[in-house]
Amino acid sequence: MAARGHVQDPNDRRLRPIYDYLDNGNNKMAIQQADKLLKKHKDLHCAKVLKAIGLQRTGKQDEAFTLAQEVATLEPTDDNSLQALTILYREMHRPELVTKLYEAAVKKVPLSEEYHSHLFMAYARVGEYKKMQQAGMALYKIVPKNPYYFWSVMSLVMQAISAQDEKLAQTMFLPLAERMVEKMVKEEKIEAEAEVQLYFMILERLGKCVEALEVIRGPLGEKLTSELQSRENKCMMLYKRLQRWPECNALAHKLLLKNPDDWQFYPAYFDSLFHLVDQSWSPPEEGEHCSEGSVHHTVVEVVRFVEERIKGEDSKESRSLRGPYLARLELMHRLRERGCPEESMLGEPLELMVQFFNKFGDKPCCITDLKIYLHLLSPEQHVQFINHLSEAVPLGNQEEEGFAFPEDTKALQRHLCVCQLSRALGLHHSLDVDGKLHLITELKAHYHHGLKFGKNALKTELQFSDMYCLMAAHVYIDLWTETGDEDMMWQCLGLLQEGLSHSPSNAQFKLLLLLLYCRLGAFEPVVDLYSSLDAKHVQHDTIGFLLTRYAESLGQFAAASQSCNFSLRFFHSNQKDTSEYIIQAYKYGAFEKIPEFIALRNRLNQSLHFAQVRTERMLLDLFLEADIVLSLEESVKAMSLSAEEDDIPWDSMRDNRDLTVFTCWDPKDRYNEHRRQSLEEESMWLRIRSLTLRLLASLAALAHMPSQQNSEISNENGVGDKTSILSSLLSQLNQALQTAAQMAEKHIQYPFLGPPSTRLVLALSSGSCQCQAAALQLSVHLHELETAGLDGSSELQTQICNGFKSIVVQLQEILNKCKGDLLEMKEGKLKTQPSLLENLVFFVETVCIVLWMASYCAKILRPLKTSLQKKKKKKKDANTALPVVMCGFQELTGNLQDLLTQAMEHIKGQETAMTSLKLSTLTLEGYTQVSEEVSFTKAATDKVQCSYLRSLQEVGDLLKKRTETIKNLKI
């Protein structure tokens, strides 16, 4: 709460109990205590604000705001009131009100350093960079301290970064910032490293690389001490930008002599070499090669330099460094790319990689080091290479299983590295089914043997042999995808569950289990698995899609709602958190971090995942909560959803998904292509869902309008605008569906560990998107009927009735695609059809949209029927037939009732069949597992069964609610 110790306020003692209640979360008592205090001291502003905080936290936002504004209009200047109001406005997500608060305080107390600095930080929270610049200078004039001056300079830089016009940034903001810093340089007032960093940042953004280089190499550069090799790194970057390749080469050479294991300088060393070769550069006959020293401008010199570093490592008695050995392989890779004959000077890649393995094979990093250079081997050398490596792995005598096992963890690590390299070279993939089953047996034997090395490991530590288990799981997945035999997948689940029991913190086991359960359509076990991953901060964006992609589509609506809320909480807090990071960066002079924080905020705001979760959450809420069109209208209003506004940044949207989160040894030859195709599909699906959501908002707005028979009156009331918006959105949706259909025709198959398949293809094949669009199109015709009235609209009525019939036919087709056994046992083998569950969810969503349309229809037809009955009474004609549209509507509601009854019976049938399944009779052919492993597999099948039952129950409950809705659609 507000700082209480340093302000000697006579009222501090009276306020302390309220602070304590608020700090302990006892908001009701805080309100009571504040009321008591206000009875005695009516003018105690802080007590009012603290009461407002209590009201805000108990959900009485309007009362809290009114009370806060009462105090704010008095323009308080006491520290307690100001800080309490700041806390309240922050909780209300109204940081702009804090600026007004401190603007008033500064006017009343113009010489207060504290209030001026609070005002600056308030502007920083809302990104008012121009006002920040002015506030910084005002602060510097009152208290001439360097940090305040440079706050103002940095605010100028931020104006340049955020300027829409790049020309304005380059000609006004940045030159002004440069002049301000130069003034301090001339007056020799530069004190801190942060000030030099800021000067460098300004020069760099202005493209003044020569001047920036002079600053770094001059006396000011000596202040850059906080980061190791900060000056050298900046010089290297500037040399590259200036294309001063001799200096770049000489500096990299010099730094590698000091530390031959510093990998960041090897790429610069090699890049500069090839630029010098391309330019046919030669050193001057006399004197230094360049300002940084001697230059290696020929391939021969660089090869010699790398070989000398390796000889130095070979002659050492202590442990060798990896850098020089990797540098040799990197140089060979680059020489081969350029077709240079000097490649042969380095030796044979196979021998070099075997040598690397001999030295570093017992390190876990050996596999990742060598994996990127495997392309240097010819396909004929693959088996020979693995044989050479196997000879260097010390294994004990053969045991009962027929396999020889490592006798210590170093030997185990070497053997594990060989196995992983075999898989990376495709040797596992090329085996036949029997070969793969034998390989699985071997990998599992090594896994179980290796567990003895981690008997005393903590729960948070991984087992030494975990990678064997993971590789065996990958081979099972290979067999499942190749043969379609689901036994492989069940055994894979069992193996991973067993692995997780020995290594509860293994994230790779959890991720793969999570993916397998999702592919099987079982979402229930996924929630706990994802929760146990304990994803932190930005990971909610990068791996959150693994959770949110499947939750709703598999019928787990409660879990879907929870998952979306979880993700949205992170994205919404990002705005507030980033402002706090920026403020801290100003306070501690970490100016170079401020643009990074802004970039992070933008990256998250423009995230594809954020847009998806936001859209899906709103649609889910509507499907679950809104039964008729009037409650749809209420829900749309509560969400502040507008049909006119599209708040998704389509042009700047970013795909932040981490598709490399799974450990994978498969070839990634089409990774970029798959990522691009997946992004196209995800964006198209998001567009369809976003348009559907906006169409529902438009339908709700149309239903909100009073019944109109006169088109002129309608247009005066804005109904004409509403229908034109609806028609425009429908046109966009139909266009999107056409493009989506063309995408679906490509039948793109992603690898198992590649991007997850979107819902797009299944949605189109089920017919749900087309049916939803048809239902929404009908709402336009219904509005036309409302405007025209029943007389003289027979053609329109017939068109509407045909639309009703078409929708019923389409819904029946969607329902037919849901029929079949979700989980069945044939000859002791389990078979799953998760697509049936996804189709069932599409059916439910479509039913909801059709019912909203029907509800809108009922709203239109009721007054028309009433006026018709009045006419009948006047004419005393009881035999007048009902208009076609009313008969059609009655037929529609009857058919919808039948469809929902069918769907409910199907779900009950599935539940009964699934409950009666005797999973204990499950047989797994060719099972190589012992009874303990079988029990893990049986546990996995139980989880899938329970999840299916849960999904069916939630879908069934929602359909029951909609059955009640139909009963209320009478006209």
Side-chain angles (χ1 to χ4, degrees):
M1 288 305 301
R4 313 196 281 269
H6 71 285
V7 179
Q8 294 303 314
D9 191 318
N11 291 314
D12 196 39
R13 181 178 51 79
R14 297 183 185 122
L15 293 167
R16 184 162 288 125
I18 310 176
Y19 283 122
D20 291 339
Y21 283 130
L22 289 170
D23 286 341
N24 296 326
N26 196 341
N27 299 311
K28 286 184 180 177
M29 283 302 296
I31 295 166
Q32 287 176 22
Q33 190 68 30
D35 282 333
K36 279 183 193 174
L37 195 55
L38 286 166
K39 280 177 185 174
K40 294 178 185 176
H41 306 275
K42 289 181 182 178
D43 297 328
L44 191 50
H45 305 320
C46 187
K48 267 191 184 180
V49 184
L50 294 177
K51 180 187 174 182
I53 291 173
L55 289 166
Q56 167 72 16
R57 290 177 183 177
T58 48
K60 295 174 183 174
Q61 284 90 349
D62 294 339
E63 283 181 57
F65 186 68
T66 307
L67 208 56
Q69 291 308 93
E70 280 178 28
V71 178
T73 49
L74 298 170
E75 299 182 351
T77 54
D78 65 292
D79 198 37
N80 279 344
S81 297
L82 288 169
Q83 292 214 26
L85 277 166
T86 302
I87 289 165
L88 177 62
Y89 288 148
R90 225 182 281 173
E91 288 184 12
M92 287 179 164
H93 305 293
R94 299 288 302 274
E96 71 282 358
L97 296 175
V98 181
T99 59
K100 291 175 183 173
L101 208 58
Y102 279 103
E103 279 168 357
V106 162
K107 278 179 189 171
K108 286 189 174 181
V109 192
L111 297 177
S112 167
E113 179 184 1
E114 187 183 358
Y115 290 171
H116 272 282
S117 63
H118 278 308
L119 178 61
F120 180 88
M121 295 310 174
Y123 286 141
R125 277 196 184 88
V126 293
E128 291 269 12
Y129 302 125
K130 185 170 178 59
K131 288 183 178 177
M132 285 164 69
Q133 177 202 343
Q134 293 162 350
M137 283 313 293
L139 192 51
Y140 181 69
K141 283 172 186 172
I142 298 165
V143 189
K145 292 179 183 174
N146 268 26
Y148 299 150
Y149 185 86
F150 283 93
W151 284 4
S152 185
V153 175
M154 184 62 209
S155 302
L156 266 170
V157 175
M158 288 312 298
Q159 285 179 71
I161 291 170
S162 60
Q164 298 291 325
D165 185 359
E166 181 62 26
K167 192 178 176 185
L168 195 65
Q170 292 293 323
T171 56
M172 186 170 126
F173 297 127
L174 290 171
L176 180 55
E178 184 190 11
R179 286 198 297 275
M180 284 179 75
V181 181
E182 280 174 352
K183 178 176 176 288
M184 297 296 269
V185 173
K186 283 172 188 169
E187 293 172 10
E188 295 185 356
K189 287 184 181 176
I190 298 284
E191 295 169 358
E193 180 182 0
E195 294 156 16
V196 181
Q197 291 273 24
L198 181 53
Y199 189 22
F200 175 78
M201 192 199 303
I202 293 164
L203 292 171
E204 191 190 357
R205 286 184 178 275
L206 279 167
K208 295 188 173 183
C209 297
V210 177
E211 291 86 341
L213 199 56
E214 286 169 8
V215 169
I216 299 302
R217 295 177 68 183
L220 286 176
E222 290 171 14
K223 293 185 185 290
L224 301 173
T225 54
S226 65
E227 288 181 34
L228 195 65
Q229 296 174 326
S230 175
R231 290 178 81 182
E232 290 84 349
N233 285 328
K234 282 183 166 54
C235 283
M236 190 76 78
M237 181 186 74
L238 291 168
Y239 286 143
K240 282 182 185 176
R241 285 184 66 175
L242 290 165
Q243 297 192 351
R244 290 191 184 175
W245 302 116
E247 284 87 348
C248 185
N249 181 282
L251 179 59
H253 167 229
K254 199 159 54 178
L255 292 165
L256 288 169
L257 280 172
K258 276 188 198 173
N259 182 3
D261 202 39
D262 198 334
W263 181 257
Q264 64 176 323
F265 298 120
Y266 279 110
Y269 183 49
F270 296 148
D271 287 340
S272 58
L273 160 71
F274 293 121
H275 280 292
L276 292 170
V277 169
D278 291 340
Q279 292 169 7
S280 306
W281 184 89
S282 55
E285 292 178 10
E286 292 180 12
E288 284 284 324
H289 288 184
C290 68
S291 58
E292 291 289 355
S294 61
V295 179
H296 288 168
H297 65 289
T298 65
V299 174
V300 175
E301 284 177 298
V302 171
V303 169
R304 191 187 307 125
F305 174 77
V306 172
E307 293 290 0
E308 281 170 5
R309 303 285 75 69
I310 289 169
K311 278 177 190 170
E313 291 305 311
D314 288 341
S315 61
K316 275 176 23 181
E317 288 183 15
S318 59
R319 184 98 197 208
S320 297
L321 301 171
R322 287 156 48 230
Y325 296 92
L326 279 173
R328 180 165 61 181
L329 290 169
E330 176 64 20
L331 182 56
M332 178 175 274
H333 156 66
R334 291 186 181 220
L335 290 169
R336 184 173 290 188
E337 264 192 337
R338 290 172 63 90
C340 296
E342 290 92 342
E343 181 199 335
S344 58
M345 294 170 65
L346 291 164
E348 268 294 312
L350 189 143
E351 289 172 16
L352 299 183
M353 288 161 91
V354 169
Q355 184 189 352
F356 187 90
F357 178 80
N358 289 337
K359 279 194 171 291
F360 308 108
D362 56 354
K363 287 188 173 187
C365 59
C366 184
I367 172 68
T368 48
D369 287 344
L370 287 179
K371 195 177 166 187
I372 50 178
Y373 298 113
L374 290 176
H375 65 277
L376 296 174
L377 300 171
S378 63
E380 299 77 37
Q381 290 180 308
H382 289 176
V383 175
Q384 185 190 353
F385 173 60
I386 294 300
N387 289 341
H388 276 305
L389 297 189
S390 300
E391 288 166 13
V393 179
L395 298 175
N397 297 323
Q398 279 201 2
E399 297 191 13
E400 288 175 20
E401 294 96 327
F403 304 115
F405 297 116
E407 293 180 344
D408 58 28
T409 54
K410 287 193 173 183
L412 181 143
Q413 193 57 57
R414 284 183 178 277
H415 184 261
L416 198 49
C417 185
V418 175
C419 292
Q420 291 178 84
L421 287 168
S422 298
R423 183 157 182 85
L425 286 166
L427 300 183
H428 290 181
H429 302 79
S430 60
L431 295 170
D432 59 13
V433 173
D434 290 338
K436 282 177 179 161
L437 287 169
H438 182 266
L439 174 63
I440 288 170
T441 308
E442 183 181 351
L443 289 169
K444 283 182 352 191
H446 275 277
Y447 169 63
H448 290 124
H449 174 268
L451 290 174
K452 70 177 186 183
F453 299 121
K455 274 182 183 173
N456 300 321
L458 299 171
K459 279 189 175 180
T460 50
E461 293 176 331
L462 305 187
Q463 290 289 335
F464 289 99
S465 60
D466 275 355
M467 277 297 178
Y468 288 121
C469 180
L470 193 63
M471 258 188 293
H474 279 224
V475 182
Y476 270 132
I477 290 167
D478 292 347
L479 284 167
W480 180 31
T481 49
E482 285 168 27
T483 65
D485 183 358
E486 285 198 28
D487 272 3
M488 298 298 112
M489 182 270 308
W490 295 116
Q491 292 187 51
C492 179
L493 277 175
L495 178 62
L496 288 167
Q497 289 285 14
E498 184 198 357
L500 201 56
S501 71
H502 295 299
S503 232
S505 296
N506 192 311
Q508 287 300 322
F509 289 169
K510 291 173 186 177
L511 285 165
L512 197 50
L513 274 168
L514 188 149
L515 191 60
L516 282 163
Y517 280 125
C518 284
R519 293 290 173 92
L520 282 170
F523 191 76
E524 201 171 39
V526 168
V527 179
D528 289 337
L529 281 168
Y530 187 83
S531 179
S532 68
L533 281 169
D534 197 19
K536 295 284 192 294
H537 199 260
V538 80
Q539 286 177 316
H540 293 304
D541 185 27
T542 56
I543 65 170
F545 70 94
L546 293 170
L547 193 67
T548 53
R549 154 66 184 87
Y550 294 100
E552 191 217 347
S553 63
L554 297 175
Q556 304 255 337
F557 302 127
S561 193
Q562 203 176 346
S563 306
C564 289
N565 283 345
F566 200 59
S567 287
L568 287 174
R569 206 174 300 129
F570 158 68
F571 283 113
H572 290 145
S573 68
N574 157 53
Q575 286 288 350
K576 191 173 72 175
D577 293 347
T578 309
S579 299
E580 296 309 313
Y581 304 152
I582 291 166
I583 286 167
Q584 294 306 313
Y586 270 108
K587 278 183 181 173
Y588 297 107
F591 298 123
E592 75 279 8
K593 294 294 171 195
I594 294 171
E596 291 177 25
F597 292 140
I598 301 287
L600 174 67
R601 180 165 65 192
N602 293 340
R603 173 187 159 179
L604 293 175
N605 286 342
Q606 294 161 4
S607 164
L608 167 73
H609 180 54
F610 180 29
Q612 285 173 324
V613 172
R614 210 168 59 228
T615 306
E616 290 298 337
R617 174 64 220 263
M618 287 193 275
L619 278 170
L620 183 61
D621 281 355
L622 294 179
F623 292 138
L624 294 179
E625 303 302 328
D627 52 352
I628 57 171
V629 79
L630 292 175
S631 54
L632 172 69
E633 182 197 323
E634 287 164 16
S635 298
V636 165
K637 192 178 175 184
M639 291 174 187
S640 307
L641 186 59
S642 166
E644 294 90 338
E645 290 174 26
D646 185 2
D647 60 353
I648 296 173
W650 296 106
D651 296 332
S652 57
M653 197 149 60
R654 296 184 54 135
D655 181 9
N656 297 332
R657 295 174 298 167
D658 182 2
L659 300 178
T660 60
V661 68
F662 295 94
T663 296
C664 181
W665 302 272
D666 302 340
K668 293 199 174 178
D669 47 345
R670 295 184 61 199
Y671 171 77
N672 290 329
E673 186 188 347
H674 283 145
R675 182 172 194 121
R676 180 185 56 75
Q677 290 169 333
S678 169
L679 177 58
E680 282 176 8
E681 282 191 16
E682 292 287 0
S683 300
M684 183 49 66
W685 178 240
L686 174 61
R687 195 174 287 279
I688 290 168
R689 299 293 271 183
S690 170
L691 284 167
T692 305
L693 182 63
R694 289 169 65 200
L695 276 161
L696 293 175
S698 187
L699 176 61
L702 208 58
H704 177 64
M705 291 291 175
S707 294
Q708 301 287 348
Q709 301 301 317
N710 187 311
S711 61
E712 284 180 27
I713 302 171
S714 298
N715 285 325
E716 280 173 28
N717 282 278
V719 178
D721 292 343
K722 296 279 185 286
T723 47
S724 65
I725 290 164
L726 188 62
S727 301
S728 166
L729 290 172
L730 272 167
S731 167
Q732 290 176 52
L733 178 61
N734 288 322
Q735 199 175 343
L737 288 174
Q738 283 176 11
T739 311
Q742 289 166 4
M743 280 184 181
E745 283 169 9
K746 294 177 185 174
H747 301 293
I748 298 164
Q749 291 293 318
Y750 298 111
F752 188 84
L753 293 175
S757 58
T758 61
R759 296 178 70 192
L760 182 70
V761 176
L762 205 56
L764 291 171
S765 64
S766 72
S768 65
C769 288
Q770 298 87 327
C771 187
Q772 289 171 21
L776 291 162
Q777 181 66 57
L778 262 179
S779 58
V780 176
H781 297 321
L782 288 165
H783 173 69
E784 290 168 7
L785 178 71
E786 183 186 23
T787 308
L790 291 173
D791 298 330
S793 62
S794 57
E795 203 174 307
L796 181 59
Q797 288 186 53
T798 308
Q799 188 183 354
I800 290 169
C801 288
N802 290 337
F804 288 159
K805 287 172 187 172
S806 170
I807 279 173
V808 171
V809 171
Q810 288 178 64
L811 277 172
Q812 183 66 62
E813 284 174 2
I814 299 169
L815 184 56
N816 292 342
K817 287 170 185 169
C818 306
K819 290 177 180 176
D821 288 320
L822 187 55
L823 183 69
E824 61 177 333
M825 194 179 288
K826 283 185 180 174
E827 300 167 6
K829 284 192 172 191
L830 269 184
K831 296 284 180 192
T832 61
Q833 291 189 76
S835 62
L836 296 178
L837 190 54
E838 291 204 52
N839 282 339
L840 190 58
V841 172
F842 283 130
F843 173 76
V844 175
E845 288 184 1
T846 311
V847 163
C848 289
I849 291 174
V850 169
L851 286 176
W852 290 324
M853 178 276 295
S855 173
Y856 175 55
C857 183
K859 179 181 176 289
I860 289 169
L861 293 181
R862 278 184 200 120
L864 292 174
K865 188 177 181 183
T866 307
S867 64
L868 193 69
Q869 284 170 339
K870 283 178 184 175
K871 284 178 186 176
K872 276 185 190 178
K873 281 178 184 176
K874 280 180 186 176
K875 291 181 181 178
K876 295 181 182 177
D877 183 4
N879 297 320
T880 309
L882 270 179
V884 175
V885 72
M886 291 188 185
C887 297
F889 181 74
Q890 286 175 349
E891 194 181 327
L892 171 71
T893 52
N895 287 331
L896 287 176
Q897 188 72 57
D898 293 344
L899 276 168
L900 262 63
T901 306
Q902 265 188 66
M904 298 289 289
E905 284 170 2
H906 167 65
I907 289 171
K908 277 179 192 168
Q910 282 294 295
E911 286 174 333
T912 307
M914 210 175 291
T915 311
S916 64
L917 272 182
K918 299 282 189 292
L919 293 186
S920 55
T921 61
L922 179 66
T923 59
L924 297 159
E925 280 185 15
Y927 221 140
T928 57
Q929 296 180 323
V930 292
S931 59
E932 186 193 350
E933 295 172 62
V934 174
S935 68
F936 283 112
T937 304
K938 295 284 172 72
T941 58
D942 287 342
K943 284 181 181 180
V944 171
Q945 185 187 30
C946 290
S947 180
Y948 285 168
L949 287 167
R950 175 72 177 270
S951 295
L952 289 169
Q953 185 194 339
E954 290 203 31
V955 172
D957 289 348
L958 185 51
L959 280 174
K960 270 182 205 165
K961 280 188 188 176
R962 297 298 157 257
T963 308
E964 292 301 313
T965 306
I966 295 176
K967 290 175 186 173
N968 299 325
L969 291 182
K970 291 172 185 170
I971 55 169

